Amino acid sequence: MPSPLGHRTARLVAAALLAGVSAPALAQAAPAGTPADQAATIADLQRQIDELKAMVTALQANRAPDGAAVTAPTPDAMAQAPTVATPQATQPGLADAAPPTTATPALASAGQDVIARRARLGEPPEVLVPPRAGKPWYEKLVLRGYTQLRFNQIVSGDAAAPAGVSRLRSIHDSGINDDSNFTFRRLRLVLQGDLNDHVSLYFQPDFAAAVSNQSVGERREGAVSLRDMYADVFPFGDKSFRIRLGQSKVPYGWENMQSSSNRLALDRTDAINSAASGERDLGIVAYYTPPKVQAIWNRLAKDGQKLFGNYGAFGFGAFNGQGLNRTEADDNVMLVGLATWPFELDGLGLDGQVFEIGGSVMRNKIRPEIRTGGLSPTGFKDERVLVHAMLYPQPFGVQAEWNWGTGPEFVPASGRIEERPLNGGYVQVLGKIDETPIGPIFPFARWQYYRGGFKAAINAPRLETEELELGIEFLPTPPLEITVTYGWASRKEADERRLGQAEGQLLRVQAQWNY
């Protein structure tokens, strides 16, 4: 059904044509008078015709589809139309008595300016209307986020220890200590959206970071830290290929890529996360996801599976290599590659089941921070290779990763940092039960192991980690996730001045709300 604006435009066009072609008839039908009166009447009619044509041109320009051409009525076209006089105009004295019809000043001015400009250039009165803009980019952005509130309790074991002896601590959660109760583990806001069809924006700060008061060593909570700030560039229309520019996740390891808001276990494992603590760095990455793979991941996401995120089946990136929010310290770049591929197992009689397998590689040199201040004067080899596998729970599944390599590690016998071998990973069994009295639940059990240096800490101390953790996550309502875990841990503290392994049992509870 035509719109009211369309009807109005049509009426104005008709009026302009009728008025234009009726000028001679009106002049003849008007009562006899002096030549001066007749000239004034014709001039007044011509003025109204010009104003109507300007209104029509402006309305057509506003109404035209994207990129369409709008053509103002030409004298030749008007001359070919039949001569029709309006009844009201032929009545004696009406032309003098009726007030003139005037166009809206803005519309008349717009139409006249366009026509006059093209006339000065010797061009026909055709107006090319630029593509009609859609929403401005700032109206396409979406704000979302999540918050994690944790309670940690060392139930038994080495919560405290004399100087030089390891205490039960974690490189991931400073809230695991002998004095902690409640902490904000993460408080994230995400601003993201498409700037146009080829560029999108992603910005994520964390408002639950911690910094130390350097004068007395007291920590300050609730600091702001930059996590992600990047632009995705899509050279092709199907968006299967993207180039990511800025600070983003390093594509090493399935678990490292998975969002903390989507992971079952409260923390990442030492063996995988030690490759890229904080999971991010500044650089450029290229990702490619074949449509077939994307279709499988879309189906898994619709089913409520916990995927590893909006990343490619293949990724390759170059980064500074010094670590998250750290100034680059040399002219080397860290090269990282990732590949992963899901296989549907319907042909094996496992309807709906998906098995995913892949791997990662890392090549880097790094200058760790040293106890005496500043950075190590030399760089150390930091190279790894990783394999991962995932059987998505339907309703039970298995997830595992393992990596091997060489990295910087402090050696007490020599009192210095050296290049040493490393290895470790994890195995996790998990379930997915959609219908329970307390909502969907995800039970899991994870065992992790690591032997190697931790390059992100001062003097790259050696970690010796073994831990078994049992847990369950349930969703009483979609925006709220509750996770309860109980673990048995044996850990060497991430401090080269402390020796031995601490042991103990941990009770941990986390509430996460998504918005």
Side-chain angles (χ1 to χ4, degrees), residues 249-260 262-265 268-269 272-273 279 297 300 305-313 337-342 354-361 386-393 398-403 426 428 430:
K249 284 190 175 180
V250 174
Y252 183 87
W254 199 96
E255 179 191 62
N256 256 23
M257 302 291 281
Q258 187 181 37
S259 171
S260 297
N262 212 27
R263 190 180 57 252
L264 285 177
R268 295 178 173 90
T269 53
I272 309 304
N273 192 247
E279 305 87 55
W297 285 345
L300 291 172
Q305 296 287 345
K306 293 183 176 293
L307 304 178
F308 85 142
N310 185 20
Y311 305 100
L338 173 143
T340 187
W341 195 273
V354 175
F355 175 70
E356 186 169 325
I357 189 169
S360 307
V361 293
L386 174 146
V387 294
H388 69 256
M390 176 76 173
L391 180 67
Y392 289 92
V398 180
Q399 177 181 332
E401 292 186 80
W402 209 270
N403 72 162
Y426 69 92
Q428 176 175 274
L430 62 159

Side-chain angles (χ1 to χ4, degrees), residues 89-430:
T90 59
Q91 295 179 11
L94 184 58
D96 294 331
T101 303
T102 59
T104 303
L107 290 175
S109 176
Q112 294 283 14
D113 289 346
V114 172
I115 295 173
R117 182 175 67 252
R118 296 188 69 86
R120 287 195 302 271
L121 297 175
E123 299 176 351
E126 180 181 73
V127 181
L128 291 178
V129 181
R132 191 186 315 165
K135 285 185 177 181
W137 65 268
Y138 49 83
E139 291 185 6
K140 301 176 186 177
L141 299 181
V142 175
L143 182 65
R144 60 180 180 84
Y146 67 97
T147 299
Q148 293 175 345
L149 175 66
R150 283 193 188 172
F151 174 80
N152 295 314
Q153 180 66 50
I154 300 177
V155 177
S156 65
D158 302 320
V165 179
S166 291
R167 303 160 296 180
L168 191 59
R169 299 292 186 267
S170 170
I171 62 173
H172 307 284
D173 189 353
S174 62
I176 299 177
N177 60 61
D178 52 335
D179 293 323
S180 181
N181 289 304
F182 294 99
T183 58
F184 275 128
R185 178 62 183 91
R186 293 176 178 86
L187 202 168
R188 305 278 178 86
L189 287 177
V190 176
L191 184 67
Q192 69 178 121
D194 293 334
L195 304 185
N196 60 26
D197 290 339
H198 296 282
V199 182
S200 68
L201 168 73
Y202 191 98
F203 172 52
Q204 177 180 221
D206 186 359
F207 294 85
V211 296
S212 295
N213 181 331
Q214 299 298 322
S215 62
V216 297
E218 182 185 357
R219 287 170 59 84
R220 294 288 192 268
E221 308 290 342
V224 181
S225 172
L226 176 64
R227 305 301 291 182
D228 299 279
M229 181 58 196
Y230 59 80
D232 275 344
V233 180
F234 303 94
F236 311 114
D238 63 357
K239 296 191 175 183
S240 60
F241 177 76
R242 72 183 66 190
I243 299 173
R244 183 161 291 178
L245 310 171
Q247 181 163 295
S248 66
K249 284 190 175 180
V250 174
Y252 183 87
W254 199 96
E255 179 191 62
N256 256 23
M257 302 291 281
Q258 187 181 37
S259 171
S260 297
S261 65
N262 212 27
R263 190 180 57 252
L264 285 177
L266 298 186
D267 294 317
R268 295 178 173 90
T269 53
D270 293 3
I272 309 304
N273 192 247
S274 59
S277 181
E279 305 87 55
R280 296 161 173 86
D281 206 337
L282 186 62
I284 178 172
V285 199
Y287 289 113
Y288 172 67
T289 305
K292 178 181 178 180
V293 173
Q294 190 62 60
I296 296 175
W297 285 345
N298 289 344
R299 179 175 67 80
L300 291 172
K302 186 177 180 180
D303 186 47
Q305 296 287 345
K306 293 183 176 293
L307 304 178
F308 85 142
N310 185 20
Y311 305 100
F314 304 96
F316 181 78
F319 298 88
N320 279 342
Q322 195 63 24
L324 174 64
N325 294 334
R326 298 191 178 191
T327 303
E328 175 65 338
D330 55 39
D331 61 353
N332 296 308
V333 294
M334 177 173 67
L335 301 178
V336 185
L338 173 143
T340 187
W341 195 273
F343 296 89
E344 295 180 300
L345 304 182
D346 295 7
L348 301 178
L350 302 174
D351 293 346
Q353 197 87 46
V354 175
F355 175 70
E356 186 169 325
I357 189 169
S360 307
V361 293
M362 173 184 289
R363 184 180 182 276
N364 186 31
K365 268 201 168 183
I366 188 170
R367 296 172 59 192
E369 292 184 72
I370 56 178
R371 182 70 59 185
T372 55
L375 300 177
S376 167
T378 60
F380 294 90
K381 184 186 295 185
D382 178 27
E383 298 180 352
R384 301 189 182 207
V385 60
L386 174 146
V387 294
H388 69 256
M390 176 76 173
L391 180 67
Y392 289 92
Q394 295 280 12
F396 299 105
V398 180
Q399 177 181 332
E401 292 186 80
W402 209 270
N403 72 162
W404 304 262
T406 299
E409 177 186 319
F410 184 85
V411 180
S414 64
R416 64 183 184 182
I417 301 174
E418 300 178 6
E419 292 177 357
R420 286 296 182 95
L422 58 87
N423 84 94
Y426 69 92
V427 178
Q428 176 175 274
V429 294
L430 62 159

Side-chain angles (χ1 to χ4, degrees), residues 41 44-45 47-48 86 88-89 91-102:
T41 300
D44 185 64
L45 288 172
R47 178 181 58 79
Q48 296 182 40
T86 56
Q88 294 86 346
Q91 295 179 11
L94 184 58
D96 294 331
T101 303
T102 59

